[in-house]
Amino acid sequence: MSLHKLRLAAAVPVTISTFSSRLFLKPFPNTLTLGLFSRRLQPRKPLLVRAFSASAAVQDIPANQTTVSSVARRPQWKASIDFKWIRDNKEAVEINIKNRNSNADLDAVLELYENMVNLQKEVERLREERNNVAKKMKGKLEPSERDRLVEEGKYLKESLVSLEEDLVKLKDELQHVAQSIPNMTHPDVPVGGEDSSAIRKEVGCPREFNFPIKDHLQLGKDLDLIDFDSAAEVSGSKFFYLKNEAVLLEMALLNWTLSQVMKKGYTPLTTPEIVRSSIVEKCGFQPRGDNTQVYSIDGTDQCLIGTAEIPLGGIHMDSILLESALPLKYIAFSHCFRTEAGAAGAATKGLYRVHQFSKAEMFVICRPEDSEFFHHELIQIEEDLFTSLGLHFKTLDMATADLGAPAYRKFDIEAWMPGFGRFGEISSASNCTDYQSRRLGIRYRPSEPLQTGPNKGKANLPATKFVHTLNATACAVPRMMVCLLENYQQEDGSVVIPEPLRPFMGGIELIKPKLK
Amino acid sequence: MKGKLESSERERLVEEGKNLKESLVTLEEDLVKLKDELQHVAQSIPNMTHPDVPVGGEDSSAIRKEVGCPREFNFPIKDHLQLGKDLDLIDFDSAAEVSGSKFFYLKNEAVLLEMALLNWTLSQVMKKGYTPLTTPEIVRSSIVEKCGFQPRGDNTQVYSIDGTDQCLIGTAEIPLGGIHMDSILLESALPLKYIAFSHCFRTEAGAAGAATKGLYRVHQFSKAEMFVICRPEDSEFFHHELIQIEEDLFTSLGLHFKTLDMATADLGAPAYRKFDIEAWMPGFGRFGEISSASNCTDYQSRRLGIRYRPSEPLQTGPKKGKANLPATKFVHTLNATACAVPRMMVCLLENYQQEDGSVVIPEPLRPFMGGIELIKPKLK
């Protein structure tokens, strides 16, 4: 046998034709032993499920442990995960995974990555050999030599085909497990569960009532503002109609919020509420697991959005932005739809947890060095809005177990809801750094630096980088309505409208009981 | 068999009782199936038609009123898609990637314009005694059927939710009809008049060609819908009230439009009579429908089970129900578009464009847009 054939024989432990028929998870023989992968196959680790931020404060199921059916679809797209960085920082990544109670399997990722790299090298080696053979065949040759080369060429081609197939499968598997690795965490974030979250700021204090107070459901009935009963017949539980002044109040809240946030340079948008499910996944949500928060449309690959964050992330997906275009700052208004599967108990009463609601959402796309700044800008905007409305609230720096996979850091605001007798989440502001942008493919090209640097891409342009994305709730209407109705109720059963909203409601100052 | 009987007589009766019982069971099963089959075919019988409605197809519809005339432009005009691009108001391209065709983002002043249209419409219609509402946009499919739509046919306009019996609404008419279903209202409660704002979702399956361009035909849009529940003798009156409200709204906005009395082939099963308003859209070079007002008489109420109990008459009449109360009757329902945002936006952008590329905001909307009078091209 020629030297070439000998080499091939050593590289491929069994005959070539059987390689491709092996389970793709079996390792390339000269790097790892055969048995290593079997423990990865059963049971399939569930993909990390991110809780929708607005339900995190009173959720009954810890966000990171919601199980996903083992037949959850494989992602149909690739996240640009920095495997080298993960490998070089694996201790930090492992600690982060533990702190977040994530189910991500770092060892599997590293192993698969190693295998993938080696398989990649082998594929490239074979390609080079095939090219060499092709080159040789262009010269003048003895017929026996030619025959031998033709034979070798065939072998190389077949090996390459099966190795390339294996490589594709390996890359898919690597993607599949790696996508559940959560984002890293800001060093100042408290480590632990819900109780470890730190209070960053507290504004106002609980109002003292000198009469027996009603909760928002009772106020909604008495003032003919909210109808849950008809909606239960028409649609099911956790749906509602708003009536009379409540309609004007919703419009005033959204109009006022929009005008306040626009003043800070945010571009107003309305968005589609039906999106392709791949977009939902790229933002870090799980459309098709058990207990999914996401409604799917029959007969399509489309879903209803649970937050405008999703269609906002999608606007610039698979794009390269100019550095001069950043930051991009949006305030988007949409209806949001959530199944709230798995949520039960007292934390679901009335408007607190519903299937459909209006929300104004802020979204920022910026350079990596600016995301911390914008996280503070976003939380400041929220605090200013809620202070203007006279709410009593506290801003929390959410602890690691409560972050959800995409967030590097998350500030939640909980407002005092006297009818419930406790604080309830009214907004959430997350810095997702490059977690979403690596999945959505949102990059930017830095402007030309003054002198030539080492990082140059094609044609002497600077290499592109991933942007950072942030999202923050400007106004979640039902939760705001709970706060306003319960906090501003009066002894005679009326509700005072906070001053900033009055011009947006035709000047109405009071919601009065209606004469029957 | 309760009496005293000879034993042979008793046995004969027991035998007869058995036969009767078996026959009854079979016949009752047959009756149920027959009733089901009857319902199934009878439900597709359309509503009767108002005697003044023209008989025929689309071309037979009669023009009831025409307001304004086409604006004369002394410069080459753009359609709303071009204006939307040039003024950075509408983004179809990103939406095609994120969601698919016929989806869009509104940006900048277009967002303010949508909110102004809805706010202004709401305030105008409330002045006429209509109660404002927002509605669920996910409903049980049975409600959709009871309103006269077909959720699960081929070419259905209705999106269904996976794994449930729920659908997305194509119009607020559906959750509005559902509010009082299976109810008996007091006569004194009528009329009930609602102005409801919702997002609407339509598959637009089967719609193709030029009548689908841009904002004219989309899968998701905002709409303000009027809905009236009244006594049968009042529905004609309210049909005219509804069309008058629509005509006043569109006249205030300075649109050129015509009101059509739709011909029989264009009515759709629930409508006894239907008035459509078509407005001039210069970018298309033709009229396009911007609203529709239907009198459904008792077609929907018979399906939704909405009845009312007439007040006591002065003397005792022949028709008395239980316990000497007047017998209930079916209400009449009507529905009418107060504002379908994308179609309105087509009209406003195309009609109010200026030579320099800007768009004038009609006066009634300006206070609802923070006073903005003009949408100007943005500096790049």
Side-chain angles (χ1 to χ4, degrees):
Chain A
M1 278 203 304
S2 75
L3 198 59
H4 286 287
K5 266 207 172 134
L6 269 172
R7 275 219 300 249
L8 259 167
V12 181
V14 206
T15 60
I16 289 158
S17 58
T18 62
F19 194 95
S20 54
S21 64
R22 282 203 238 152
L23 283 175
F24 66 87
L25 284 177
K26 291 221 174 135
F28 200 73
N30 60 359
T31 54
L32 290 161
T33 59
L34 221 64
L36 206 59
F37 272 95
S38 51
R39 70 183 160 96
R40 303 298 174 210
L41 293 176
Q42 296 295 336
R44 169 70 59 211
K45 300 277 168 106
L47 290 179
L48 196 65
V49 172
R50 175 192 170 187
F52 272 84
S53 50
S55 59
V58 289
Q59 65 197 5
D60 298 295
I61 301 173
N64 302 353
Q65 284 162 17
T66 310
T67 53
V68 169
S69 127
S70 60
V71 294
R73 265 184 355 176
R74 287 174 122 58
Q76 308 295 308
W77 44 272
K78 294 236 183 321
S80 300
I81 295 176
D82 192 344
F83 294 108
K84 284 210 196 77
W85 188 90
I86 291 175
R87 186 189 57 195
D88 297 341
N89 292 276
K90 64 180 179 198
E91 286 88 13
V93 175
E94 187 61 53
I95 291 172
N96 188 50
I97 288 174
K98 283 202 172 60
N99 286 342
R100 284 167 175 260
N101 283 347
S102 161
N103 292 319
D105 190 340
L106 182 58
D107 289 338
V109 171
L110 293 174
E111 223 171 273
L112 284 167
Y113 178 61
E114 238 2 83
N115 291 348
M116 197 271 296
V117 165
N118 291 325
L119 188 52
Q120 181 91 51
K121 282 190 193 137
E122 186 59 21
V123 164
E124 277 158 20
R125 190 181 68 78
L126 287 185
R127 281 191 191 137
E128 208 185 310
E129 282 200 30
R130 189 190 54 184
N131 289 343
N132 288 339
V133 166
K135 264 194 219 135
K136 283 194 190 143
M137 286 184 43
K138 289 183 178 163
K140 186 171 178 185
L141 299 163
E142 295 282 331
S144 61
E145 180 75 4
R146 183 166 287 278
D147 285 346
R148 190 186 62 79
L149 283 177
V150 164
E151 202 57 40
E152 192 172 336
K154 265 198 217 145
Y155 269 127
L156 286 170
K157 179 175 169 182
E158 281 168 28
S159 317
L160 211 50
V161 162
S162 59
L163 285 192
E164 278 168 344
E165 271 172 28
D166 289 340
L167 184 61
V168 164
K169 287 179 191 160
L170 201 53
K171 282 183 171 176
D172 275 355
E173 180 66 16
L174 178 58
Q175 265 293 312
H176 181 68
V177 289
Q179 276 181 17
S180 43
I181 296 179
N183 204 354
M184 295 306 289
T185 308
H186 190 290
D188 293 349
V189 170
V191 176
E194 209 177 312
D195 302 326
S196 306
S197 300
I199 300 183
R200 288 174 52 86
K201 186 186 243 180
E202 192 151 357
V203 171
C205 56
R207 174 179 161 197
E208 298 215 359
F209 291 93
N210 53 4
F211 58 90
I213 60 168
K214 306 178 188 177
D215 68 10
H216 72 277
L217 271 175
Q218 194 59 49
L219 290 158
K221 272 207 177 85
D222 295 345
L223 295 170
D224 200 18
L225 297 175
I226 312 170
D227 183 349
F228 271 97
D229 296 335
S230 305
E233 294 299 317
V234 171
S235 307
S237 68
K238 299 200 191 68
F239 284 99
F240 60 98
Y241 296 81
L242 290 183
K243 291 179 74 173
N244 296 310
E245 292 94 333
V247 177
L248 304 177
L249 184 56
E250 164 163 331
M251 301 183 88
L253 273 165
L254 292 164
N255 277 295
W256 172 72
T257 301
L258 198 75
S259 70
Q260 291 298 101
V261 177
M262 279 174 68
K263 289 177 190 165
K264 303 287 199 313
Y266 286 69
T267 299
L269 279 186
T270 64
T271 77
E273 290 156 8
I274 294 178
V275 296
R276 301 180 202 273
S277 55
S278 57
I279 315 287
V280 179
E281 289 168 3
K282 290 178 187 182
C283 290
F285 301 93
Q286 189 60 251
R288 292 181 199 277
D290 297 329
N291 276 358
T292 179
Q293 277 279 11
V294 181
Y295 285 103
S296 293
I297 308 277
D298 217 0
T300 70
D301 72 334
Q302 292 168 316
C303 312
L304 295 180
I305 62 171
T307 162
E309 178 193 338
I310 298 170
L312 284 169
I315 293 181
H316 297 289
M317 66 179 194
D318 300 323
S319 303
I320 300 175
L321 305 166
L322 293 173
E323 182 173 2
S324 54
L326 302 178
L328 288 165
K329 310 195 319 184
Y330 297 116
I331 168 92
F333 159 60
S334 78
H335 289 184
C336 304
F337 302 90
R338 301 186 180 185
T339 64
E340 300 293 354
T348 63
K349 206 165 140 205
L351 289 175
Y352 192 81
R353 196 173 301 279
V354 288
H355 288 306
Q356 172 194 322
F357 58 99
S358 301
K359 181 163 68 63
E361 181 82 1
M362 297 179 283
F363 197 82
V364 176
I365 298 176
C366 66
R367 303 176 309 169
E369 52 266 45
D370 296 332
S371 58
E372 183 120 353
F373 170 82
F374 285 114
H375 199 200
H376 288 94
E377 174 172 299
L378 287 166
I379 196 65
Q380 188 63 54
I381 291 175
E382 289 182 359
E383 288 168 351
D384 289 345
L385 288 170
F386 307 144
T387 304
S388 302
L389 291 178
L391 301 183
H392 165 43
F393 63 89
K394 42 185 190 180
T395 309
L396 303 169
D397 197 348
M398 301 310 284
T400 48
D402 247 3
L403 284 179
Y408 178 71
R409 193 176 198 184
K410 188 157 90 85
F411 299 142
D412 279 8
I413 293 184
E414 298 189 349
W416 180 246
M417 298 178 173
F420 283 102
R422 59 169 173 78
F423 285 89
E425 185 190 323
I426 57 169
S427 82
S428 189
S430 298
N431 179 359
C432 298
T433 64
D434 62 358
Y435 185 96
Q436 293 179 325
S437 59
R438 282 179 177 276
R439 286 155 175 72
L440 293 163
I442 312 177
R443 295 174 170 81
Y444 76 104
R445 194 177 295 286
S447 312
E448 281 291 338
L450 284 177
Q451 66 279 86
T452 359
N455 283 339
K456 285 278 196 182
K458 299 183 182 178
N460 287 333
L461 289 169
T464 60
K465 298 186 192 178
F466 285 103
V467 300
H468 278 197
T469 64
L470 301 97
N471 64 80
T473 324
C475 178
V477 169
R479 299 264 171 113
M480 294 301 287
M481 223 166 260
V482 172
C483 287
L484 295 180
L485 291 175
E486 296 188 352
N487 281 292
Y488 281 97
Q489 61 183 298
Q490 302 204 289
E491 189 163 13
D492 63 2
S494 61
V495 172
V496 176
I497 303 293
E499 281 196 42
L501 299 178
R502 294 176 189 180
F504 294 85
M505 273 177 84
I508 297 177
E509 298 183 1
L510 202 66
I511 302 177
K512 288 182 278 224
K514 280 115 192 112
L515 301 162
K516 299 270 174 183
Chain B
M1 280 179 54
K2 291 186 179 166
K4 193 170 173 185
L5 300 161
E6 292 284 329
S7 42
S8 61
E9 180 74 9
R10 182 168 290 277
E11 274 169 28
R12 190 184 61 77
L13 283 176
V14 164
E15 201 58 39
E16 195 175 337
K18 264 198 222 160
N19 282 333
L20 287 170
K21 179 177 169 181
E22 281 169 24
S23 316
L24 210 52
V25 163
T26 331
L27 286 190
E28 279 170 345
E29 272 175 24
D30 289 344
L31 185 60
V32 165
K33 285 183 193 158
L34 204 55
K35 279 184 172 176
D36 277 355
E37 180 67 16
L38 178 59
Q39 265 291 315
H40 180 68
V41 289
Q43 276 182 14
S44 41
I45 296 179
N47 203 354
M48 294 304 290
T49 308
H50 191 291
D52 294 351
V53 170
V55 176
E58 211 179 306
D59 302 326
S60 306
S61 301
I63 299 183
R64 289 172 52 84
K65 186 187 244 183
E66 192 153 357
V67 171
C69 56
R71 173 181 163 194
E72 300 215 354
F73 292 93
N74 53 5
F75 58 89
I77 60 166
K78 306 177 188 180
D79 68 11
H80 73 278
L81 272 175
Q82 193 60 48
L83 289 158
K85 274 210 175 82
D86 294 347
L87 294 169
D88 199 19
L89 298 175
I90 314 170
D91 183 348
F92 272 97
D93 296 335
S94 306
E97 293 299 318
V98 172
S99 308
S101 67
K102 300 199 192 68
F103 284 99
F104 60 97
Y105 296 81
L106 291 183
K107 291 180 72 170
N108 295 312
E109 292 95 334
V111 176
L112 304 178
L113 185 56
E114 164 163 332
M115 301 184 88
L117 273 165
L118 292 163
N119 277 295
W120 172 74
T121 300
L122 198 75
S123 71
Q124 291 298 101
V125 177
M126 279 175 68
K127 289 177 190 167
K128 302 289 200 309
Y130 286 70
T131 300
L133 280 185
T134 64
T135 79
E137 291 156 12
I138 294 178
V139 296
R140 302 183 203 269
S141 53
S142 56
I143 316 287
V144 179
E145 289 167 4
K146 290 176 184 180
C147 290
F149 300 90
Q150 192 58 253
R152 294 185 196 274
D154 298 331
N155 274 0
T156 177
Q157 276 280 10
V158 181
Y159 285 104
S160 293
I161 308 277
D162 216 1
T164 70
D165 70 336
Q166 294 169 315
C167 313
L168 295 180
I169 62 170
T171 162
E173 178 192 338
I174 298 171
L176 285 170
I179 291 181
H180 298 288
M181 65 180 194
D182 300 324
S183 304
I184 301 175
L185 305 165
L186 294 173
E187 181 173 4
S188 54
L190 302 179
L192 288 163
K193 310 196 317 186
Y194 297 117
I195 167 90
F197 158 59
S198 78
H199 289 184
C200 304
F201 301 90
R202 302 188 182 185
T203 65
E204 299 294 355
T212 63
K213 210 167 137 202
L215 290 176
Y216 192 81
R217 195 171 303 280
V218 287
H219 288 306
Q220 171 194 323
F221 57 98
S222 300
K223 182 162 68 60
E225 181 81 0
M226 297 180 284
F227 196 81
V228 175
I229 297 176
C230 65
R231 304 177 310 170
E233 52 267 45
D234 296 332
S235 57
E236 184 121 353
F237 169 81
F238 286 114
H239 199 199
H240 288 93
E241 174 172 300
L242 288 167
I243 197 66
Q244 187 63 54
I245 291 175
E246 290 183 359
E247 288 169 350
D248 290 344
L249 288 169
F250 306 145
T251 304
S252 302
L253 291 177
L255 301 184
H256 165 44
F257 63 89
K258 42 187 189 178
T259 309
L260 303 170
D261 198 348
M262 301 309 284
T264 47
D266 246 4
L267 283 178
Y272 178 71
R273 192 176 199 185
K274 189 158 89 87
F275 299 143
D276 279 8
I277 294 184
E278 298 189 351
W280 180 246
M281 299 179 175
F284 283 103
R286 60 171 174 74
F287 285 89
E289 183 191 324
I290 58 169
S291 81
S292 190
S294 297
N295 179 0
C296 297
T297 61
D298 62 356
Y299 185 95
Q300 292 179 327
S301 58
R302 284 179 177 273
R303 286 155 176 74
L304 293 164
I306 311 178
R307 295 174 171 79
Y308 77 103
R309 193 176 299 283
S311 315
E312 280 293 338
L314 283 175
Q315 67 278 85
T316 358
K319 290 216 166 102
K320 284 281 198 178
K322 299 180 185 181
N324 288 335
L325 287 169
T328 60
K329 299 185 191 177
F330 286 104
V331 299
H332 278 198
T333 64
L334 301 96
N335 65 80
T337 325
C339 178
V341 169
R343 299 267 171 109
M344 294 302 286
M345 224 168 259
V346 172
C347 286
L348 295 179
L349 291 175
E350 294 187 354
N351 280 293
Y352 282 95
Q353 64 182 296
Q354 304 204 286
E355 188 163 15
D356 64 0
S358 62
V359 171
V360 175
I361 303 293
E363 281 194 42
L365 299 178
R366 295 177 190 180
F368 294 85
M369 272 177 85
I372 298 177
E373 298 184 359
L374 201 66
I375 302 176
K376 286 181 280 225
K378 279 118 193 108
L379 301 162
K380 298 270 177 191

